Amino acid sequence: MTSFFTLAIVQSALELGFIYALVAMALFLSYSVLNIADLSTDNCFILGCAVGSTVALAGHPILALPAAMLAGVGSGFLTAFLQTRLGVESILAGIIVNTGLYTVNLAAMGFSSNLNLFKCDTIFTMAKAALEPVIGSWYKLAVAAVITLAAAAALWFFLGTRLGLSIRATGDNADMVRASSINPAYTITVGLCISGSLTALAGAVLGQYQKSCDINLGQGMVTIALASLIIGETLVGRQKLGLRLSAAILGSVIYRFIVAIALRMNVPAECLKLVSALIVAVAISSPQIKVLYARHKRKAAARAARKGGN
Amino acid sequence: MLKLNHVSMTFNPGTVNEKKALNDVSLHMAPGDFATIVGSNGAGKSTLFGAIAGSFWPDEGEVILDGRDITFEPEHRRSNVLGRLFQDPMRGTAPHMTIEENLALAYLRASKARNAYFSRVTKQDKADFREKLALLDMGLEDRMTQPVGLLSGGQRQALTLLMATLVTPKLLLLDEHTAALDPATAEKVLALTRDIVAERQITCLMITHNMKDALGLGNRTLMMDSGRIVLDVSGDERAGMTVDDLLARFAANAGKALDNDRILLSEMG
C-alpha cells in the first residue's frame, strides 16, 4: 500500500475528489433531479475559476468564492431562461451558453488564456498559516472538505424545503408541480442557478488550489462529473436524498483514486478522458444492455427447447 | 362560483384538421353545485376543462371563478383554487417522491406567505397528513415514507384526490378519474369523491362515461355534443329521470343518438 500509494498521492486524490464533488453535486441537481442534461457545465466551471482567480489576484481570496458562485448563478439563469422562456431545446440551450461563455471567460481573465496565482494569497495559503501547526499537511484537505461538506449540507437542507421539493417534483412530474400552483419554469430556473453556482464554486476552489487558471481547464468536465455521480450511485444506490448526495462526493473521490492509480501505472494523462467517457457510456447504457442480454438469453433458450422437441 | 360566458375554441384554425372544440359555451355553476358531464367522443368535454384550468386561452369568451376573471391567468396560478384529476392515475403524483413529500407539495398551495417556500415539513404537518391518509382507508398512513411509484393506480388516484382537496379548492375538475381503475377500486374512489365533495360543499364538475353515475351523482347533469352543452338538467326533472330518458332527451336536443365507444349504459357499471 505505502509503496504503491505515497501519502502525497492519497492526499491529493482526496483533495481533488472533494473539490470536483461540487461539480458532481451540481449535476446531481440538474441531471438526476431535474432530468436536464446541462452542457454548459464545462465552461461554467472555468467561469468560476476565471472570476475566482481574478478576484483572488485582486487580494480577496475569500470573496472570490461568492463572486464565482454569483457568476455561476448568471450562467445557470441564462441556460434556464433560454429553455423555459424562449423555447430552446434544453441541450441546445446548454451548448449555446457554453460557447458564449468561452469569450466571457477570456474577458474575465483579462483576455489572456491563463492566470497564475503563485504570488497572491489563496484560501489554501491562509489555511496553511492557521492549520499547518495543528494538522500538518492535511490542511488542504480540510479546506476542500469543509467547503464541499458545507455546500452538501446546504443543498440537503434546501431540497427538503417546499421549494426544494417542488424542484424535485419538476423532474419527476411537471404537471403535478403546476397543480401545486408553482410554475415549473421557475423551479427549473432556481435549480439551474444553484447547479451553476456549485459548478463555478468548484472552479474557483480548484483555481486557488492549483494556483492557476487555464482557459481549457474544464474540457470534458461534464463527463467526468457524470462518471463520478454514476460511480457513487452504483455503490450507494438511489435511496434517500442524504445518501445520494454523499454518493456524489464518494464517487468523485473514487474517480480521483482511479485517476491516481492510472497515473501511478504510467497510463498517459491524455488517456484519462477516454476512460471517463467509457465509464459514463457503459454505466448509462447498462440498463438497456441488461434488457438486450435477457432477450438474447430467452431467444436462445426457446430455440434450444424447440430443437430438443424435434 | 364558476361562470363561462360565450367561450369558443378552435384548434388548428385554417387547416384540414380544423376543429371547433367549444362553440359559444355558457355555463353558470352555483356554489356547491356538483354537475356530471356526459357526451360523445370529441364533444368538447375535456376541452371545456382545459379552458377552465388554463391549458390554453380560449379564442373568445371569458372564464370567471368566484368573481375573478381568470381567462388569461397562467395555469399554475389558477391551480391555487382549482383541483384537477385526470383519467391517468400517474399524472397527479410524483412517483420518485414519498407520499409525505407529495402531500407537502400539495399543501404548499395553502401557504400564502413567501417564506413558505423555505419551510420544511414539520411534525405537526406529518401528523395531519397521517390523519387525512387514514380517511382513505387504504393503509397509506403507514407507508408515508415510501415512494408513490410503489402504489397501485387506485391508491395513486385516491392520493391525488386527497392532494387536490387538501386545501379546499373553489372548483374541482374530475376528468373520468375512475375510468382507468378496476371496478371495485373505481367504486371506492368514487365513494371517496362523493364524501369529500359533500362534506366540504366543493363546487365540482365531473366527466364520466357511466350513465348511472351521470344521473346518480351530484345535483345536475350536463350533456355535450359538438362543442355545445345540449342538455342541462337538475332538480325534480333530473330526480325522476332514467338512463333511457336521458338518452332520449339527448337525441332530441342533439339531433342524433349518443355515440361513445366507452359509454356504459347498463346498471352494472
Side-chain angles (χ1 to χ4, degrees), chain A residues 156-166 168-169 172-173 175-184 186, chain B residues 75-76 79-80 90-97 101-102 104-105 107-109 116-120 125 163:
Chain A
W156 175 81
F157 181 85
F158 173 74
L159 287 176
T161 65
R162 295 233 160 84
L163 179 56
L165 285 179
S166 43
R168 286 166 59 195
D172 219 8
N173 184 349
D175 273 343
M176 179 208 157
V177 173
R178 232 172 265 124
S180 313
S181 72
I182 297 169
N183 191 352
Y186 174 71
Chain B
E75 200 176 352
H76 65 269
S79 57
N80 219 345
M90 308 300 149
R91 269 181 87 169
T93 44
H96 294 103
M97 293 168 70
E101 288 167 341
N102 271 275
L105 262 185
Y107 192 61
L108 185 63
R109 292 192 305 155
Y117 277 163
F118 296 102
S119 66
R120 296 169 70 85
D125 290 340
M163 286 165 60

Side-chain angles (χ1 to χ4, degrees), chain B residues 29-46:
Chain B
M29 297 275 289
D33 260 1
F34 182 174
T36 56
I37 305 178
V38 280
S40 321
N41 298 329
K45 305 179 299 281
S46 294

Side-chain angles (χ1 to χ4, degrees), chain A:
Chain A
M1 180 79 188
T2 37
S3 57
F4 190 71
F5 274 148
T6 62
L7 181 64
I9 289 177
V10 172
Q11 276 178 343
S12 82
L14 284 170
E15 288 152 10
L16 286 169
F18 271 101
I19 295 173
Y20 284 111
L22 290 165
V23 192
M25 275 155 50
L27 284 197
F28 168 73
L29 189 56
S30 63
Y31 182 76
S32 300
V33 171
L34 277 173
N35 213 1
I36 290 172
D38 179 7
L39 296 187
S40 66
T41 302
D42 287 12
N43 276 338
C44 183
F45 182 80
I46 306 170
L47 176 71
C49 189
V51 170
S53 301
T54 305
V55 177
L57 276 175
H60 302 287
I62 293 177
L63 187 63
L65 304 184
M69 287 173 83
L70 206 61
V73 167
S75 156
F77 180 82
L78 259 180
T79 315
F81 185 79
L82 284 173
Q83 56 186 284
T84 57
R85 311 284 174 181
L86 303 183
V88 180
E89 196 71 47
S90 70
I91 287 191
L92 194 55
I95 293 174
I96 291 172
V97 170
N98 196 47
T99 307
L101 277 180
Y102 186 84
T103 309
V104 175
N105 293 344
L106 274 178
M109 292 161 71
F111 289 99
S112 119
S113 61
N114 56 59
L115 293 175
N116 84 66
L117 280 65
F118 281 94
K119 288 181 189 129
C120 78
D121 268 346
T122 68
I123 46 174
F124 293 97
T125 58
M126 291 165 81
K128 185 178 183 182
L131 294 175
E132 204 176 25
V134 192
I135 51 174
S137 59
W138 295 94
Y139 71 91
K140 277 187 179 175
L141 178 60
V143 174
V146 163
I147 291 174
T148 300
L149 292 177
L155 188 59
W156 175 81
F157 181 85
F158 173 74
L159 287 176
T161 65
R162 295 233 160 84
L163 179 56
L165 285 179
S166 43
I167 289 176
R168 286 166 59 195
T170 305
D172 219 8
N173 184 349
D175 273 343
M176 179 208 157
V177 173
R178 232 172 265 124
S180 313
S181 72
I182 297 169
N183 191 352
Y186 174 71
T187 49
I188 289 176
T189 307
V190 174
L192 288 187
C193 285
I194 295 174
S195 159
S197 75
L198 287 173
T199 306
L201 175 63
V205 176
L206 187 79
Q208 298 199 24
Y209 174 81
Q210 59 179 27
K211 295 185 179 165
S212 68
C213 176
D214 186 278
I215 193 71
N216 293 318
L217 192 65
Q219 282 279 319
M221 187 59 60
V222 68
T223 316
I224 291 169
L226 263 183
S228 309
L229 195 61
I230 291 168
I231 292 172
E233 274 183 354
T234 312
L235 291 176
V236 180
R238 305 186 62 167
Q239 302 295 317
K240 289 196 153 179
L241 187 65
L243 275 176
R244 294 179 71 183
L245 277 172
S246 324
I249 299 175
L250 178 70
S252 177
V253 169
I254 290 177
Y255 180 83
R256 287 298 143 187
F257 271 100
I258 295 175
V259 171
I261 291 169
L263 290 176
R264 197 81 180 85
M265 291 165 68
N266 295 324
V267 174
E270 297 79 37
C271 294
L272 292 173
K273 293 250 159 84
L274 180 61
V275 173
S276 30
L278 280 175
I279 292 176
V280 172
V282 169
I284 293 184
S285 58
S286 65
Q288 181 65 17
I289 291 171
K290 269 183 207 157
V291 170
L292 290 177
Y293 179 68
R295 266 193 211 159
H296 171 79
K297 249 175 59 179
R298 217 184 111 190
K299 205 161 72 180
R303 278 203 184 129
R306 213 169 293 160
K307 253 181 209 159
N310 288 338

Side-chain angles (χ1 to χ4, degrees), chain B residues 176-191:
Chain B
E176 299 199 41
H177 69 303
T178 60
L181 310 178
D182 66 79
T185 318
E187 194 49 55
K188 186 158 191 188
V189 172
L190 214 54

Side-chain angles (χ1 to χ4, degrees), chain B residues 61-262:
Chain B
E62 53 185 359
V63 183
I64 294 166
L65 185 64
D66 199 18
R68 192 161 57 119
D69 184 348
I70 57 167
T71 318
F72 302 114
E73 200 164 82
E75 200 176 352
H76 65 269
R77 205 160 296 153
R78 296 181 204 206
S79 57
N80 219 345
V81 289
L82 263 183
R84 192 179 185 187
L85 264 74
F86 298 94
Q87 185 178 341
D88 180 1
M90 308 300 149
R91 269 181 87 169
T93 44
H96 294 103
M97 293 168 70
T98 64
I99 295 179
E100 194 173 277
E101 288 167 341
N102 271 275
L103 283 167
L105 262 185
Y107 192 61
L108 185 63
R109 292 192 305 155
S111 329
K112 293 276 180 285
R114 290 296 284 182
N115 65 8
Y117 277 163
F118 296 102
S119 66
R120 296 169 70 85
V121 184
T122 63
K123 277 218 171 76
Q124 178 63 49
D125 290 340
K126 284 183 192 178
D128 283 353
F129 294 162
R130 210 183 149 77
E131 206 174 291
K132 294 242 165 66
L133 281 167
L135 295 179
L136 299 181
D137 196 23
M138 288 177 162
L140 296 184
E141 65 275 17
D142 297 321
R143 302 172 63 182
M144 278 172 58
T145 53
Q146 286 187 14
V148 167
L150 296 178
L151 307 186
S152 71
Q155 288 170 328
R156 279 183 80 164
Q157 200 67 314
L159 180 63
T160 311
L161 179 67
L162 183 63
M163 286 165 60
T165 54
L166 196 60
V167 180
T168 305
K170 287 183 176 167
L171 180 70
L172 182 61
L173 300 174
L174 306 170
D175 192 346
E176 299 199 41
H177 69 303
T178 60
L181 310 178
D182 66 79
T185 318
E187 194 49 55
K188 186 158 191 188
V189 172
L190 214 54
L192 279 170
T193 309
R194 201 165 35 213
D195 294 347
I196 292 176
V197 170
E199 185 199 336
R200 297 208 242 142
Q201 310 240 309
I202 302 172
T203 312
C204 178
L205 280 167
M206 178 174 115
I207 297 174
T208 179
H209 60 248
N210 185 322
M211 300 301 281
K212 190 185 108 220
D213 290 342
L215 278 176
L217 283 172
N219 63 342
R220 191 170 166 186
T221 300
L222 306 172
M223 294 190 95
M224 289 191 73
D225 185 62
S226 312
R228 294 171 194 273
I229 296 176
V230 293
L231 184 67
D232 181 352
V233 289
S234 56
D236 291 342
E237 186 189 9
R238 182 178 187 257
M241 263 184 157
T242 63
V243 169
D244 288 335
D245 295 340
L246 194 62
L247 292 174
R249 284 288 300 277
F250 176 88
N253 288 21
K256 62 179 183 192
L258 187 62
D259 166 33
N260 182 330
D261 51 17
R262 289 185 301 132

